[in-house]
Amino acid sequence: MTVLDCGGRPLDLSRPVVMGILNVTPDSFSDGGVFLSRDSAIAHARRMVDEGADIIDVGGESTRPGAQPVPAQEEMDRVIPVIEALRENISLPISIDTAKPDVMRAAVAAGAGFINDVRALREEGALEMAAALQVPVCLMHMQGEPRRMQEDPRYRDVVSETGNFLRARLQAAKAAGIPASRLVIDPGFGFGKTLEHNLELLRDLKKLHGLGAPILVGLSRKSLIGKALGLPVAGRLHASVALALIAVQNSARIVRVHDVGPTVDALRMWSVVYPEEYKE
Ligand code: 7PM
């Protein structure tokens, strides 16, 4: 049975778990505005807790595809007050979605116990920082850079290339002193991938299981659903739940989602059908 120690808060991976997405939007036109966005972020997190989330992922929106680079100080101004408030108000592990070492340090000091890095610790100083902070880290695959990665993604074999990248980053993380017991991997759905690439990765997700790290996936509301079914973002809930279930069936252990309640029900039902599946 695998339990991740997220800065003193346990994340039990002996069943599939749900990571709720908390986007902290830039909002700083007045002091009042900052408090407003903090309060609404906490209310949103509370709702996800009530709906059965297992961990909350706090992001300052700097890592989303197509995003303009955000200075570290601005990213911290957005996320640190929210993490501090969450530490006091909820008992779940808190994840920080960032690629920047300075933000990682401030976030963990404020109460985060998990690092979600879409750049897989490739930023200068990130490997050393994550090792020193002693919290679990998710290493995600991405081809290219966020601003241009969806222009013309190409692979000889998307599953083996993604696997090779993740194997190399696991190796680099271990060499930097991060124990295997603190490492999670993610194929990075939508990050430099066409619909076909995403579908191939989802069908073959079990191959990544061989790398020996728990698998996290983010499929919630993603444009692959729009491309496959022609649905707008607001109409992607049911397809997102279906994809979360397929991913779990194919060995994912953490699903990063917007719609916590419906996903929790689907995965609880999966755990009733397959109670022994995760007992390794
Ligand atoms: C616009 C497009 C906004 C896409 C946000 C997104 C992942 C992630 C994101 C993922 C991990 C989203 C994405 N996706 N972190 N951050 N895995 N580990 O849908 O797939 O949230 S940003």
Side-chain angles (χ1 to χ4, degrees):
M1 185 173 81
T2 325
V3 179
L4 291 181
D5 176 5
C6 301
R9 300 185 183 195
L11 184 65
D12 180 359
L13 299 182
S14 61
R15 54 183 181 81
V17 302
V18 172
M19 170 183 269
I21 300 170
L22 188 65
N23 284 321
V24 182
T25 49
D27 179 18
S28 53
F29 46 108
S30 73
D31 282 355
V34 173
F35 283 111
L36 215 84
S37 76
R38 186 195 312 188
D39 290 351
S40 64
I42 289 149
H44 184 202
R46 263 198 186 294
R47 184 179 151 188
M48 293 195 286
V49 172
D50 292 343
E51 290 181 351
D54 299 285
I55 178 169
I56 304 294
D57 187 39
V58 181
E61 297 195 339
S62 73
T63 58
R64 60 159 59 192
Q68 298 290 330
V70 179
Q73 189 57 53
E74 191 179 326
E75 195 176 328
M76 287 193 266
D77 291 344
R78 292 182 197 173
V79 297
I80 300 304
V82 171
I83 293 170
E84 284 172 345
L86 290 180
R87 168 165 65 181
E88 303 302 321
N89 287 283
I90 69 165
S91 59
L92 297 183
I94 302 161
S95 162
I96 173 67
D97 180 349
T98 192
K100 297 187 185 75
D102 289 346
V103 179
M104 292 174 189
R105 175 173 44 212
V108 170
F114 185 102
I115 296 168
N116 174 24
D117 184 1
V118 301
R119 297 188 47 80
L121 303 180
R122 287 176 295 157
E123 206 74 11
E124 190 175 343
L127 278 168
E128 296 77 9
M129 182 61 73
L133 293 173
Q134 301 190 4
V135 298
V137 185
C138 177
L139 306 169
M140 198 194 79
H141 173 269
M142 161 163 55
Q143 184 184 78
E145 291 299 315
R147 282 189 60 192
R148 301 193 59 191
M149 66 189 175
Q150 289 304 106
E151 283 178 17
D152 185 24
R154 285 168 189 265
Y155 298 83
R156 183 184 40 78
D157 176 341
V158 67
V159 179
S160 66
E161 287 175 47
T162 300
N164 288 343
F165 172 89
L166 292 172
R167 184 182 299 104
R169 295 315 297 161
L170 284 168
Q171 179 58 44
K174 289 172 198 168
I178 306 174
S181 61
R182 286 208 285 265
L183 292 167
V184 172
I185 55 172
D186 182 341
F189 289 103
F191 286 82
K193 285 138 191 132
T194 64
L195 171 60
E196 258 321 310
H197 294 142
N198 289 315
L199 297 178
E200 231 181 290
L201 274 169
L202 184 60
R203 284 190 288 258
D204 268 356
L205 200 61
K206 278 192 171 129
K207 288 186 181 165
L208 299 180
H209 196 52
L211 295 173
I215 299 171
L216 185 157
V217 297
L219 289 153
S220 183
R221 301 183 186 172
K222 283 200 172 165
S223 66
L224 74 119
I225 299 169
K227 285 177 193 134
L229 304 181
L231 294 169
V233 174
R236 295 178 187 169
L237 165 62
H238 304 92
S240 296
V241 174
L243 290 173
L245 202 52
I246 294 166
V248 163
Q249 187 71 25
N250 288 347
S251 77
R253 293 206 173 197
I254 307 174
V255 294
R256 182 178 176 278
V257 305
H258 301 89
D259 304 288
V260 169
T263 310
V264 164
D265 275 359
L267 298 189
R268 277 194 187 141
M269 200 65 240
W270 186 89
S271 295
V272 170
V273 177
Y274 299 106
E276 298 299 314
E277 202 76 359
Y278 277 12
K279 306 282 189 300
E280 275 171 277

